[in-house]
Amino acid sequence: MGIIKLKNIRTFSFHGCLVEESKIGSDYSVDLEIKTDLTTSCLSDDLKDTVDYVHLNKIVVEEMAIRSQLLEHVGKRIINRVFKEIPQITKVILGVSKLNPPIGGDVESVTIQLEENRN
């Protein structure tokens, strides 16, 4: 088994429960970690034998562009697509962070983390 991590995928998105958030948007950071068998790609040095992190990044960026009220909802959509489109992935750990959230305090970010194994 092996792990591939994409750290701090930055997007500007429009998630949130407040009407203002749907209009002005906010900065987000996504961390994605997947578990898969990397044995063959370690030997072959061929992209077809591994999980292409370009594909993973594309999934995150596309799903972050679709408005959700809750970070949990967009996170689950990302996980669902990863499992649907890349069958060799056995586990996903995902963190979605809203940077400088409008919560009436000096808070750098708020993050949800989801972890799911393929059924």
Side-chain angles (χ1 to χ4, degrees):
M1 272 304 150
I3 294 173
I4 297 174
K5 296 179 183 181
L6 281 75
K7 295 182 179 182
N8 198 22
I9 302 168
R10 302 290 298 251
T11 70
F12 188 83
S13 304
F14 296 87
H15 308 299
C17 296
L18 302 176
V19 174
E20 296 81 21
E21 292 174 298
S22 70
K23 294 178 181 174
I24 62 172
S26 187
D27 290 310
Y28 292 81
S29 173
V30 178
D31 293 318
L32 176 63
E33 179 176 317
I34 62 100
K35 188 174 251 187
T36 190
D37 186 351
L38 298 176
T39 306
T40 303
S41 61
C42 286
L43 299 173
S44 73
D45 194 29
D46 194 329
L47 182 60
K48 72 174 178 48
D49 294 326
T50 193
V51 173
D52 186 352
Y53 49 79
V54 172
H55 188 178
L56 292 170
N57 184 68
K58 181 177 183 271
I59 290 170
V60 169
V61 170
E62 287 177 358
E63 291 302 322
M64 288 297 291
I66 301 168
R67 178 166 160 64
S68 290
Q69 290 189 63
L70 301 178
L71 298 180
E72 295 91 322
H73 187 261
V74 70
K76 180 62 174 158
R77 286 199 328 261
I78 292 168
I79 290 172
N80 289 347
R81 269 195 66 191
V82 167
F83 281 138
K84 179 180 177 187
E85 295 180 20
I86 310 170
Q88 64 265 44
I89 292 175
T90 59
K91 182 176 186 173
V92 175
I93 300 172
L94 177 77
V96 180
S97 300
K98 180 183 283 193
L99 308 179
N100 302 310
I103 60 175
D106 186 11
V107 178
E108 181 179 318
S109 65
V110 61
T111 303
I112 61 98
Q113 184 165 324
L114 301 171
E115 184 172 328
E116 195 168 321
N117 293 302
R118 181 180 292 282
N119 293 334

